[in-house]
């Protein structure tokens, strides 16, 4: 059962608000309400009384005052901003009544506006509150707020005055972005333009202002530019241009901005901020496909969205000054680095000037290019490149510049339409080769680096960039757009330089490229590969794709394919947001535009299927790993490469020049698609059929046919009317309703069918109700064991009669009764009896008073609500139990909630890890198939009384999802893969191929692939699962922050949506005859928590296979209880050993299949902050795991067989032995939890049996009292045993104690009332938590033939910090396995000591009966 009572008093219920009670008082104050923790929650929930109170004028005035006036200085620092913060949250809670009152009351707006009248600098925290409140008013009440602000002549002045405060800058941007009506937005822009907002912001970017003003003013102007252009893209036919952008692009504004840069006082902050504005103005954008924005290609002018010529002219006039900044920049402090002293360092000024140069080169403007040549600007930045050896920021920008020069078309009147390979007047390219001596610089730098390294020095930091620049030049000479000119320029160099260059290209550069080559054909679901079959490709253009178009090129691979040069380009899409991914994808469109001399019409990237590439790109090959690969289960894997693409080989899809694309996919592809679809439709049909069978149970569809035929035949042929005239009335209705075209015989048949159907529905509804009524009777359970009264026999016969012949798994669900709500007084009375042995007289009298008061006063009120729920809901306990006991717990679920199941105790069918995994995984999936088809027989007591099967529904394809306040359970309808963890790597393994489930040998083959994989874990991958082992809130935050998109989201989905989780453990575990105690203890701890990062504790099932072939499971508890997983585990162990079996060598039976795609690695991109969270979670989990003191042992002195001979329930015997052992261990009694089940009721789960009773305490005291006789002890044992069985029966039949009190407590919290009685009841710790693992399919193991096939059972972690957790399984007739847990940190507990006490208590109790039998025999003699 393994319920987790530790959560019983730790769960976090959101109680009903106390605010309603406060609001009933006339004198309640705003501060009193704000002191309530849930005021914000109640406000957002629009509590009517609270909202009415808050919108009072005096309350709103106070709230506004809190956020606009400094709190008193003498207050505690932690409390100073409590009320301002709460006021801001209340005012921005987006409650319409508050927005209306605040936005329409001018006096309140004036009070709010008054904050801007304060002196600078503003309090940044209060400024953020003010900005947030005014921002929501701007978005919700734009007309009123704009009208109000326009009346304030000094508003823009105040914004400019306080622009150094970031919150005020945000407010200005909100004013530009949050106003929805287009005309109102245009009015605002015109108003701000009239107020000269642009001019004033430009004035702030001046050396006389501070850095905060520089930065915020610059950022504001940059955002204004981007917002204006975005708006122009969305509304291209707008009658009015954007006035702010137009003003900013005016000559006089640009002159003012540039003059600020080159004032007599060189200020780095001013220069950098101003250049940022210029760079934003130089961002050229145009409409892109699918509504996104992309960059214009270099040298291509767009009629609307190209760079404003005024901007270029203004900058060109100042190019000498910018050039001078490279030579004479603002003085910077000497920088000490690990590689030496930089005097001076590069500095932000020069780095940003080079960024500006790169942007200007992208425009490919002839006059600017001439200016660069005259100034020798390219030569200067190259000098800097080689001088600052370790500045990669600088190196990247210089590389961009060179790539742009190499890839730009020649200087012609129409550069777009010019012939790219003609020898044009490309002045920059000539300058780069002849004046800047680029070739010589590369050769000299390379030689210098080799000398330095040969002398034992470090490789220069720019060598990677230099390698890529050299490759750019090589491919520009060979195949670039300016290849003829570049080749001619190379020929003009001295002959020795040409020879050195040729030797360099074939020697050093070639070797370096070979070392840097990355295998392009490696499968990676998070990347896509572009293969272009054109001969005239340019490495420089590929560089542009990476550095200009903001996409990261992972690998570039040149290879020969059928005599054609193929350039492979692998780009990372998953690391960016979707919009950037589209920009990256459209970089391919730029690539085709730029290199293939042909305009593109549309390039459609569909990330779930294919990229649709219409003519004329018939050679463009885009291999996508989306749902197509998933649907086909990987049939296109050929030599490590996906073949689902547009290619030129005969096995790929071909393209028709006339008709666009003609996908002639291979027969294998179509076959896999067909089989996959067939499998899905087959499952749908089975579910549909089972739905019908379950829906009409206990009748059957065939019974409908029998009833209808019988009624029709009787009425037509026998002339007997079984309907007492109803058939005739139906006939008459058909006649009068216009069905006169029917013959008389047809009408009789239709009438008979309609009546027969109605009769059949009435009959099966009566049968269902009768069966439900029969199953509501539980008197059979209280009959004396072995004696069944006649009434019970008759009752069981009727149940069998109404149950049908072959009920399916869920057939009885609608026939099971609801869980009854016991009377409050009965529950309270049973509770008092249960705690009497645990309290002294004074404590008991006090509790008795609390209990009686509760039963008379508050209890009936709570009971009324609970009964209402029991009538409305299917089960009044289960949903609250799942949510509040499990899902709302914020502590780790590892150890505290999850439990485990062990393998056979003595038997090990094979020592081959992959083989054991193959058989077991196949068996698990066979069980899942039986579940899907509802072929698993419902569990039935005495083969007659059914138990609820609802918990089976979420066994597979299910995961617990962390949340901040509460977790959720995510269940998928189906899943065709599992995720396997091995040595820090995660692998996705498809379990279906050719439309069928993989065979055991094929699964073994997949597992062996993983075991033989020698790849290393990615950063953060190895210990990733520690997040599921630690506290829930850090995991929820990390999931939201780092796993919400990209490759992390995809990989996490693969884990969470898998059928189940598999761990191929690298340790050996299991029972060892040489050291049985330690081996079993280690085995249990490994299954319970492992290394704290090698099980995915959120998955319903983490299946573990150890290196020596032993196996086990770690199971998440919230969705179901242990008997459900126990049923699966029994099936798996029996199927593995008896049905599937192994070869003599230990392998799975069958043959390997070479056509199955191998497992694929999951890809992760885990940043360092996330790795820190993982380490923190691991620290918490390891502390918890290391504190677990576990002892697992088999008790084989005697078992169930001998216990039954003493005419005692085996469970009662063990429970009384536990009570005796605990008393000997601690010399006191304690509150004891034993889990029983309530599955006789619909959606029932568990109930608590309080095993420590008055009767059991009397027996234990007699056992430790040497003066007591054996007869007395036996008598007390019988009484205690009968009491325990009676309590177990009550718990099973819905008359337990704890679930009823728990639900009453939940109701009290919802009502906002406190109950001292319930509070004490639910705060009592269970210092002894016990559970029996029932064997449900004993026949599968054939213990009479194979007695060694005994199960070890399973266990769970300690419940209380100073208590024990005990699980036991009664196996066969002669064995009971115990699993004991406690905590090392508690001085009161010791699992091994307690195990010895249990062993001795079992023997001592059995000795009572042995002694009694011997005495009886002597007396008989």
């Amino acid at each position: 059962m393994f319920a987790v009572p530790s959560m019983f008093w730790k769960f976090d219920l959101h109680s009903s608000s106390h605010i309603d009670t406060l609001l009933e008082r006339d004198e309640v104050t705003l501060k009193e309400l704000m002191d309530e923790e849930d005021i914000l929650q109640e406000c957002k929930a629009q509590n009517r009384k609270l909202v009415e109170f808050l919108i009072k004028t005096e309350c709103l005035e106070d709230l506004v005052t809190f956020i606009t006036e400094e709190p008193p200085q003498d207050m505690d620092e932690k409390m100073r901003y409590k009320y301002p913060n709460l006021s801001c949250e209340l005012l921005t809670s987006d409650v319409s009544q508050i927005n209306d009152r605040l936005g329409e009351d001018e006096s309140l707006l004036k009070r709010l506006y008054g904050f801007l009248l304060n002196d600078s600098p503003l309090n940044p925290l209060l400024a953020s509150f003010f900005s947030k409140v005014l921002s929501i008013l701007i978005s919700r009440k734009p007309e009123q707020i704009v009208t109000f602000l326009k009346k304030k002549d000094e508003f823009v002045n105040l914004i400019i005055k306080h622009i150094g405060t970031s919150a005020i800058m945000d407010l200005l941007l909100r004013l530009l972005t949050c106003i929805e009506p287009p005309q109102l937005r245009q009015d605002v822009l015109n108003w701000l333009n009239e107020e000269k907002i642009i001019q004033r912001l430009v004035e702030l970017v001046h050396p006389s202002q501070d850095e905060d003003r520089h930065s915020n003013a610059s950022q504001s102007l940059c955002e204004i530019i981007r917002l204006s252009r975005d708006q122009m893209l969305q509304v291209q036919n707008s009658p009015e241009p954007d006035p702010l952008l137009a003003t900013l692009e005016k000559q006089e504004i640009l002159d003012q901005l540039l003059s600020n840069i080159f004032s007599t006082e060189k200020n780095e902050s001013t220069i950098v901020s101003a250049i940022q504005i210029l760079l934003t103005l130089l961002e050229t954008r145009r409409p892109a496909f699918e509504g996104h924005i992309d960059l214009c290609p270099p040298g291509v002018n767009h009629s609307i969205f190209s760079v404003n010529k005024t901007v270029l002219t203004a900058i060109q006039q100042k190019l000498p000054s910018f050039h001078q900044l490279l030579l004479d920049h603002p003085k910077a402090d000497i920088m000490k680095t690990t590689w030496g002293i930089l005097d001076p360092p590069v500095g932000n000024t020069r780095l940003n000037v080079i960024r500006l140069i790169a942007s200007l080169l992208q425009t490919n403007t002839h006059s600017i290019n001439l200016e660069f040549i005259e100034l020798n600007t390219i030569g200067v930045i190259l000098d800097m490149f080689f001088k600052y050896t370790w500045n990669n920021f600088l190196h990247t920008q210089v590389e961009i510049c060179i790539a742009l020069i190499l890839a730009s078309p020649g200087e012609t009147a129409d550069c777009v339409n010019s012939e790219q390979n003609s020898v044009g007047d490309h002045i920059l390219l000539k300058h780069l080769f002849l004046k800047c001596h680029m070739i010589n610089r590369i050769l000299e730098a390379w030689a210098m680096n080799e000398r330095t390294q040969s002398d034992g020095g470090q490789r220069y930091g720019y060598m990677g960039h230099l390698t890529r620049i050299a490759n750019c030049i090589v491919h520009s000479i060979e195949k670039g757009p300016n290849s003829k000119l570049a080749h001619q320029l190379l020929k003009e160099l001295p002959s020795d330089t040409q020879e050195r260059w040729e030797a360099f290209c074939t020697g050093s550069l070639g070797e370096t490229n070979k070392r840097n080559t990355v295998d392009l054909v490696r499968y990676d679901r998070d990347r896509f590969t572009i293969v272009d079959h054109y001969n005239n490709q340019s490495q420089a253009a590929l560089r542009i794709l990476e550095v200009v178009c903001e996409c990261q090129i992972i690998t570039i691979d040149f290879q020969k394919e059928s005599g054609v040069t193929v350039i492979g380009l692998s780009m990372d899409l998953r690391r960016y947001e979707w919009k950037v991914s589209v920009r990256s994808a459209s970089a391919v469109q730029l690539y085709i535009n730029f290199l293939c001399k042909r305009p593109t019409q549309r390039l459609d990237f569909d990330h779930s299927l294919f990229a649709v590439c219409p003519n004329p790109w018939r050679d463009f090959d885009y291999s996508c790993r989306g749902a197509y690969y998933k649907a086909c289960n990987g049939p296109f894997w050929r030599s490590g490469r996906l073949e689902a693409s547009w290619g030129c080989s005969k096995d790929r899809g071909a393209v028709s020049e006339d008709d666009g694309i003609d996908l002639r996919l291979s027969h294998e592809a179509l076959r896999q698609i067909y089989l996959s679809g067939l499998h899905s439709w087959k499952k749908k049909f089975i579910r549909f059929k089972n739905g019908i069978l379950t829906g009409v149970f206990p009748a059957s569809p065939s019974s409908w046919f029998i009833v209808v035929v019988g009624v029709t035949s009787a009425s037509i042929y026998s002339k007997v009317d079984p309907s007492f005239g109803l058939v005739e009335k139906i006939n008459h209705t058909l006649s009068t309703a216009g069905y006169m075209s029917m013959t008389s015989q047809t009408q009789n048949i239709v009438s008979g069918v309609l009546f027969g159907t109605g009769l059949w529905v009435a009959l099966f509804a009566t049968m269902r109700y009768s069966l439900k009524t029969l199953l509501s009777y539980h008197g059979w359970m209280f009959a004396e064991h072995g004696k069944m009264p006649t009434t019970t026999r008759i009752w069981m016969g009727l149940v069998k009669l109404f149950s049908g012949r072959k009920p399916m798994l869920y057939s009885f669900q609608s026939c099971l009764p609801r869980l009854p709500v016991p009377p409050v007084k009965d529950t309270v009375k049973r509770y008092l009896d249960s705690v009497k042995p645990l309290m002294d007289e004074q404590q008991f009298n006090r509790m008795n008073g609390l209990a009686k008061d509760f039963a008379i006063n508050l209890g009936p009120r709570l009971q009324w609500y609970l009964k209402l729920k029991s009538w409305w809901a299917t089960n009044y306990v289960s949903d609250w139990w799942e949510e509040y006991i499990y899902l709302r717990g914020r502590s780790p679920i590892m150890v505290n909630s999850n439990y485990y199941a062990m393998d056979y105790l003595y038997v090990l069918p094979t020592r081959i890890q992959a083989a054991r995994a193959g058989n077991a995984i196949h068996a698990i999936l066979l069980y899942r198939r039986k579940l899907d088809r509802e072929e698993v027989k419902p569990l039935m007591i005495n083969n007659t009384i059914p138990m609820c099967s609802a918990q089976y529904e979420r066994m597979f394809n299910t995961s617990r999802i962390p949340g901040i306040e509460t977790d959720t359970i995510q269940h998928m309808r189906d899943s065709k893969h599992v995720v396997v963890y091995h040595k820090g790597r995660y692998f996705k393994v498809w379990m279906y191929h050719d439309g069928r489930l993989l065979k055991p040998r094929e699964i073994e083959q997949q597992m062996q692939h993983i075991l033989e994989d020698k790849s290393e874990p990615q950063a953060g991958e190895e210990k990733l699962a520690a997040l599921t082992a630690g506290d829930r809130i850090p995991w929820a935050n990390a999931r939201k922050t780092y796993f919400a998109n990209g490759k992390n989201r995809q990989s996490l989905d693969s884990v969470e949506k898998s059928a189940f989780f598999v761990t191929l453990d690298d340790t050996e575990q299991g029972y060892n005859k040489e050291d049985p105690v330690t081996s079993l203890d280690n085995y249990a701890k490994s299954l319970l928590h492992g290394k704290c990062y090698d099980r995915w504790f959120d998955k319903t099932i983490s299946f573990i296979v150890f290196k020596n072939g032993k196996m086990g499971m770690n199971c998440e508890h919230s969705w179901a209880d242990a008997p459900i997983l126990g049923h699966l585990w029994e099936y798996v162990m029996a199927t593995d050993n008896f049905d599937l079996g192994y070869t003599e060598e230990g392998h799975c039976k069958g043959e390997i299949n070479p056509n199955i795609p191998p497992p694929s690695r999951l890809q992760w991109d885990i940043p360092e902050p996330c790795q820190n969270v993982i380490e923190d979670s691991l620290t918490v989990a390891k502390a918890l795991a290391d504190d677990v003191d576990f002892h697992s042992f088999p008790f084989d002195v005697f078992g169930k067989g001998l216990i039954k001979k003493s005419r005692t329930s085996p469970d009662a015997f063990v429970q009384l032995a536990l009570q005796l052992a605990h008393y000997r261990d601690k010399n006191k009694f304690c509150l004891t939890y034993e889990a029983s089940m309530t599955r006789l009721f619909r959606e029932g789960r568990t109930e608590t049996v309080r095993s420590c009773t008055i009767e059991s305490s009397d027996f234990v005291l007699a056992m430790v009292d040497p003066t007591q006789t054996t007869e007395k002890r036996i008598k007390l044992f019988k009484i205690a045993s009968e009491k325990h069985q009676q309590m177990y029966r009550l718990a099973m039949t819905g008359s337990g104690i704890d679930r009823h009190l728990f639900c009453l407590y939940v109701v009290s919290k919802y009502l906002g009332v406190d109950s001292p009685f319930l509070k004490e009841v639910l705060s009592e710790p269970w210092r002894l938590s016990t559970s029996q693992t029932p064997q449900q399919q004993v026949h599968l193991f054939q213990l009479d033939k194979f007695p060694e096939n005994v199960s070890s059972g399973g266990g769970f972690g300690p419940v209380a910090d100073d208590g024990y957790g005990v699980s036991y399984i009664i196996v066969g007739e002669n064995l009971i396995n115990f699993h004991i847990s406690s905590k090392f940190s508690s001085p009161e507990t010791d699992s091994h000591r307690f195990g010895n006490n249990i062993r001795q208590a079992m023997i001592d109790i059995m000795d009572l009966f042995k002694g009694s039998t011997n005495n009886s025999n002597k007396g008989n003699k």
Side-chain angles (χ1 to χ4, degrees), residues 1083-1109:
Y1083 184 21
K1085 280 180 69 70
S1086 180
L1087 289 173
L1088 183 64
H1089 54 68
K1091 299 174 183 175
C1092 303
Y1093 58 79
D1094 52 355
R1095 289 92 172 93
W1096 198 272
F1097 294 100
D1098 283 352
K1099 285 297 289 182
T1100 51
I1101 300 171
S1102 287
F1103 173 60
I1104 303 135
V1105 185
F1106 295 97
K1107 193 174 181 180
N1108 60 339

Side-chain angles (χ1 to χ4, degrees), residues 644-680:
S645 58
W646 288 259
C648 298
S649 63
K650 63 181 181 180
D651 292 331
R652 301 182 184 176
V655 180
S656 164
E657 290 196 29
D658 298 326
D659 301 322
I661 291 183
D662 175 21
L663 292 179
R664 296 199 298 271
L665 296 176
S666 67
H667 291 291
E668 176 69 10
L670 296 175
R671 177 173 176 270
Q672 293 299 329
I673 293 172
Y674 165 75
L675 290 173
S676 180
L678 187 66
H679 175 76
S680 298

Side-chain angles (χ1 to χ4, degrees), residues 1319-1340:
K1319 191 173 182 180
E1320 285 205 30
V1321 169
L1322 271 78
S1323 64
E1324 295 168 347
W1326 304 92
R1327 291 193 171 88
L1328 180 56
S1329 179
T1330 70
S1331 179
Q1332 181 191 164
T1333 305
Q1335 272 205 307
Q1336 304 166 77
Q1337 304 169 89
V1338 182
H1339 63 281
L1340 294 178

